Amino acid sequence: MDILGIDIGGTGIKGAPVNIETGEMLSERFRIPTPHPAKPQAVAKTVAEIAKHFDWNGPIGCGFPAVVQHGITRSAANVHKKWINADAATLFRAETGCPVNIINDADAAGLAEMKFGAGRGRDGVVLLVTIGTGLGTSLFTDGVLLPNTELGHIEIDCNDAELKASNAARKRDDLSWKKWGKRLNTYLSSLEALVWPDFIILGGGVSKKSEKFMPYLDLNAEITIAESFNHAGIIGAALAGKPRK
């Protein structure tokens, strides 16, 4: 079954059709910069542009940077505050004319990695951390997702963790890879103390440069890089877009 997966981020909205049986993206991803301000109607129109680009009239799955409950976005960390308690699923369906399911963006990436990537066949507690504009997390126990963990917002030194350890923070503070790697290690060590994962997967755009920061990570859990790199959000969103019976 082919589903259009769309990954909504703080800087870009990107999508591609995906075969959800194989995890294969069926075309090059299409990316549009996230509108600013990223209010609901503006983002919905961008989602519709991506669907139109692929001449799409089937099911769509969207990964969104917020807590998502039954199609309602409950938070707004890297998008406009008007998303809080917005009916995103209904809005996107109206703009695209297609059936749409919404999922937290990090949970989407986790679904992709657990089915097709580094978490494939893994039992026990698996933690995926996406590192980009913010910090996203998804948590699995024996392959079952606990949705909306939002552990990117724990406090480190009295600051929201993503303000200290995200890739955006690395760029903003002009940190060397070593200094940033140590910050990231502090964050991941804090997560270990909270959820005791057996296996940690690091994803997001910065995962492509893992050789620059992995030497500075010293954790108890086994740790690896996401196999889908920055495509996991699109593939996982497509998985979440499968129509429910």
Side-chain angles (χ1 to χ4, degrees), residues 48-91:
E49 282 185 57
I50 292 175
K52 184 177 180 181
H53 172 82
F54 292 107
D55 194 24
W56 195 258
N57 58 9
I60 298 172
C62 287
F64 193 89
V67 171
V68 181
Q69 293 181 313
H70 313 294
I72 308 296
T73 51
R74 300 296 189 187
S75 62
N78 292 302
V79 289
H80 198 276
K81 299 303 180 186
K82 284 189 175 291
W83 280 105
I84 296 173
N85 295 324
D87 188 346
T90 297
L91 180 60

Side-chain angles (χ1 to χ4, degrees), residues 171-242:
K171 295 176 180 178
R172 182 196 66 228
D173 295 342
D174 195 24
L175 298 174
S176 67
W177 286 103
K178 182 177 182 179
K179 287 184 177 180
W180 180 73
K182 289 183 175 180
R183 279 195 190 184
L184 181 63
N185 190 70
T186 297
Y187 167 63
L188 295 175
S189 295
S190 297
L191 293 188
E192 278 201 314
L194 290 172
V195 299
W196 287 89
D198 300 293
F199 191 52
I200 297 174
I201 304 169
L202 300 182
V206 77
S207 62
K208 296 177 183 178
K209 300 178 180 179
S210 60
E211 75 284 354
K212 295 182 181 293
F213 62 85
M214 286 288 278
Y216 308 112
L217 303 184
D218 182 19
L219 302 164
N220 293 312
E222 183 182 352
I223 187 166
T224 193
I225 297 300
E227 292 181 10
S228 302
F229 292 109
N230 213 22
H231 291 158
I234 292 174
I235 296 168
L239 288 171
K242 184 177 180 179

Side-chain angles (χ1 to χ4, degrees), residues 114 122-128 139-143 195-200 221-222:
M114 292 300 289
R122 284 275 181 170
D123 291 327
V125 178
V126 179
L127 172 68
L128 178 133
L139 189 66
F140 296 80
T141 300
D142 293 335
V195 299
W196 287 89
D198 300 293
F199 191 52
I200 297 174
E222 183 182 352

